[in-house]
Amino acid sequence: MLRIARPSQARSSQRSLLSFVTATCLLSASVIPAVAAPTAQATQPKASAAAQASNTAQISNTAQAAPVAYNRFIITYTDEAKNAASTDATADQIDWSAAAGTQQATWADALYAGITSEVQSIDELLNIKTSYVRSTALDASVVTTSAELTPAQAQQYMDALSANSKVASVSPDMRRYATVDSTAETVKINDPKMNRMWSLTGEKGVSALEAWGTTRGKGVTVAVLDSGITAHPDLDANVLPGYDFIAESAFSNDGDGRDSDPTDAGNWTVDNQCFTGSKATASDWHGTHVAGTIAAIANNNEGIAGVAPEAKIVPVRVLGACGGFDSDITDGIIWAAGGSVRGVPANQNPAQVINMSIGSEGTCTTPYRQAIAQANKRGSIVVVAAGNNNFDASKSSPGNCEDVINVGATDKNGKRSYFSNYGSRVDVSAPGGDRRYWGGGILSTLNAGKTAPGKADYAEYQGTSMAAPHVAGIVALMKAVDPKLTYAQAKKVLQSTSQGVECDQSACGSGIVNAARAVQQVRSDREAADAAAAEAARKKAEEEAARKKAEEEAARKKAAEEAARKKAEEDAKRQQAPAPKVTPAPKVTPAPKATRPSRPVTRPSRPVTRPSYPSRPRYGHTPRYRSWYGASANTYPSSGYLNSGYLGFATGNHR
């Protein structure tokens, strides 16, 4: 049995290495894949940690700069290596043990076993210990190092592993963060406050209400890869089952790892949890806010409405305390689109749209490219926030990946939000707010809890995290009109129908998206496509009919030619053959003339009934016959046959 070695301290090492900047931080925080030493707070039970967080005098949501360090990596493999591993091992042949118990692995884990010698050589060179964590949906291996690596050491580590012919790529398993300024203004709402929804209705908004005359997004599912979701009366009816992809229980704040409950347990942190010197933060309920912008229920007397109020939300929890790892996020992308992830039940509601208000500084890695490619192949359009660093968007990942719609932020005046990333990598812009102006934030659903979930609430946020869901909601409206809409088509329509902003394309992309124009364009394109398809079908039918007619005419002509050929052959044969000898017909003797036979004449005999008479008595013998004729008869009857005196003869029996 092939076993992948795993030290007993691996679990604790993982936890210690996963301390990072909180998911609620601004995107301006540096990208850190891991931290230095474990802290007591990082491994303590949820209750005590929560209590500590609650007792913190000042819980801050401001950005916390973290030191750059690398100790977590993702290794992908070549197709040749995968094919070889699949024949060498099966799921029931490989297992490995963890602190939490024995877990069954798959053949993909044998891929890492195939490069352990190279890994050991690198470990000796850098004086570290590499530990295997798990495989991903991309058949990649997640590993951690026992010590932090400097950027130069990390590059040396990745280059050495990449030299192996079985390895396709090695990239840091970076932390990504919610692209939001979580400084919020809580708003108590008892009635709908659509007058505060400038992002939907205002001159510089996305004109969502104008699009509702055509569609409100019914039948479309949007996956929100974020911090999870909390119960809210303005959202609950539009929420479908999701999943929690946070594998590290030390940062999930719900006491366990991956499970089927995407509820946001809060992304609060305690001092020093993310890195040495990091401050405690409160929960920001980022995923609930994003979901509300997309699909908060309209006309329910509950405060606000989303861009696509009849669309459905699939919450995918990938951000916890200190952000979220790329390995969890990429698995979440694949699952959200309907792909397979080992150990996770299939998504029964594959998303047509995926929103990721997530990012941090870095390049687009191979796992992201592969995951996004799978999503697009399955018909999911990925929308990403450009980031809040106020620098070129090409530096922020995963927004800088190909085949995504990268969204910058604008304010109430139609200008680029001061924090929004910019540059040619920004595809379009949408309202992200600027809370330096009263009412300038983006109002959406939230939760009032400081650490654990509390009562449902509303609040204004700002950030490209708020801009991206506006676009995701519009794409949902577009998908409702044309379910076959592709990423390329959606991007083209969004850009061609956007409206001008107070900044050029180098800063804000093609402009502020316009829902009404985009939906109308998609409908027109679909109608034109349907008409073209109908015309093509008609022409095809005509061509098919003409083809059949031509075939029939050709067959008829061929049959006529064949008949003529056969007749000509027969005529030729007759001309070449000698005349047949004529045999005189035998003399026919005429038959004798038939004589007509005499016809017998048969006449029916007329019945004659005569009485029988006794012998004629002789004269003198009268007494002898007296008794026969009667006493009065003394003579023979005359020719008149008198009635009287005769016995046995009725009138008419005589002739």
Side-chain angles (χ1 to χ4, degrees), residues 8 76 94 136 139 156 306 367 371 375 410 429 461 488 553:
S8 59
T76 66
I94 304 171
T136 73
D139 296 328
Q156 183 181 6
T410 55
S429 294
Y461 277 3
E553 180 64 22

Side-chain angles (χ1 to χ4, degrees), residues 231-600:
H232 201 291
D234 225 359
L235 274 174
D236 291 347
N238 281 345
V239 178
L240 298 174
Y243 207 83
D244 181 0
F245 275 90
I246 300 176
E248 310 298 331
S249 60
F251 299 96
S252 64
N253 284 349
D254 59 4
D256 55 28
R258 292 185 172 182
D259 56 40
S260 59
D261 183 7
T263 300
D264 190 349
N267 55 2
W268 49 267
T269 66
V270 298
D271 289 340
N272 299 313
Q273 181 175 355
C274 298
F275 56 90
T276 302
S278 65
K279 301 298 183 181
T281 60
S283 298
D284 61 12
W285 319 111
H286 185 265
T288 302
H289 197 280
V290 170
T293 298
I294 298 171
I297 303 168
N299 300 322
N300 64 338
N301 201 34
E302 286 291 346
I304 68 164
V307 176
E310 293 183 3
K312 299 298 183 181
I313 297 293
V314 173
V316 183
R317 192 173 186 231
V318 295
L319 300 179
C322 306
F325 282 118
D326 287 347
S327 51
D328 290 338
I329 297 170
T330 52
D331 276 3
I333 294 172
I334 293 172
W335 183 85
S340 176
V341 179
R342 291 187 191 91
V344 179
N347 180 11
Q348 299 301 316
N349 302 285
Q352 293 95 324
V353 187
I354 297 175
N355 185 89
M356 293 198 297
S357 293
I358 298 170
S360 59
E361 186 175 0
T363 60
C364 181
T365 63
T366 296
Y368 270 115
R369 287 194 296 270
Q370 293 178 347
I372 293 168
Q374 287 197 30
N376 284 333
K377 185 177 181 180
R378 293 179 177 273
S380 297
I381 298 174
V382 182
V383 180
V384 184
N388 300 342
N389 303 89
N390 190 28
F391 59 33
D392 196 297
S394 62
K395 300 178 181 179
S396 180
S397 182
N400 56 9
C401 295
E402 297 295 327
D403 300 330
V404 302
I405 298 174
N406 200 28
V407 185
T410 55
D411 61 20
K412 197 173 183 178
N413 300 314
K415 299 180 180 180
R416 180 179 70 89
S417 298
Y418 69 92
F419 50 78
S420 178
N421 289 348
Y422 52 84
S424 59
R425 193 60 196 84
V426 175
D427 296 317
V428 293
S429 294
D434 183 348
R435 295 203 57 253
R436 295 177 303 177
Y437 308 101
W438 186 90
I442 305 300
L443 183 66
S444 189
T445 50
L446 210 72
N447 192 277
K450 296 299 182 183
T451 54
K455 66 178 182 178
D457 210 341
Y458 298 85
E460 286 187 2
Y461 277 3
Q462 68 178 33
T464 54
S465 279
M466 290 60 255
H470 282 87
V471 176
I474 294 175
V475 176
L477 298 177
M478 297 160 66
K479 274 281 195 177
V481 175
D482 184 3
K484 296 181 179 180
L485 190 73
T486 65
Y487 152 76
Q489 292 170 331
K491 179 179 176 180
K492 181 179 179 181
V493 170
L494 288 171
Q495 291 182 322
S496 65
T497 59
S498 59
Q499 57 194 25
V501 294
E502 302 296 328
C503 58
D504 58 29
Q505 291 188 350
S506 65
C508 300
S510 61
I512 301 174
V513 289
N514 187 291
R517 295 176 185 174
V519 168
Q520 181 58 43
Q521 185 64 58
V522 171
R523 184 172 67 174
S524 298
D525 291 347
R526 187 201 65 184
E527 291 174 349
D530 291 345
E535 178 65 17
R538 184 189 65 79
K539 289 183 178 180
K540 185 177 180 180
E542 290 180 350
E543 292 172 354
E544 182 67 15
R547 184 187 63 79
K548 289 184 178 180
K549 184 178 180 181
E551 289 179 350
E552 293 172 354
E553 180 64 22
R556 185 194 63 76
K557 185 177 181 181
K558 185 177 180 181
E561 292 174 349
E562 182 67 15
R565 184 187 63 79
K566 289 183 177 180
K567 185 176 183 302
E569 290 178 352
E570 293 173 355
D571 292 343
K573 290 180 180 179
R574 282 195 296 268
Q575 293 176 0
Q576 295 174 0
K581 186 176 181 180
V582 179
T583 304
K587 187 177 181 179
V588 179
T589 303
K593 187 178 182 180
T595 58
R596 184 177 183 182
S598 58
R599 182 177 182 183

Side-chain angles (χ1 to χ4, degrees), residues 182-271:
S182 57
T183 304
E185 176 189 351
T186 302
V187 180
K188 304 296 182 181
I189 298 178
N190 297 318
D191 300 304
K193 297 292 184 180
M194 293 302 293
N195 62 322
R196 303 251 345 234
M197 301 294 294
W198 64 266
S199 65
L200 269 61
T201 62
E203 180 182 353
K204 304 301 182 180
V206 299
S207 301
L209 273 64
E210 289 85 342
W212 291 355
T214 301
T215 178
R216 297 189 178 188
K218 187 175 182 179
V220 179
T221 299
V222 182
V224 177
L225 271 67
D226 217 289
S227 64
I229 199 166
T230 58
H232 201 291
D234 225 359
L235 274 174
D236 291 347
N238 281 345
V239 178
L240 298 174
Y243 207 83
D244 181 0
F245 275 90
I246 300 176
E248 310 298 331
S249 60
F251 299 96
S252 64
N253 284 349
D254 59 4
D256 55 28
R258 292 185 172 182
D259 56 40
S260 59
D261 183 7
T263 300
D264 190 349
N267 55 2
W268 49 267
T269 66
V270 298
D271 289 340

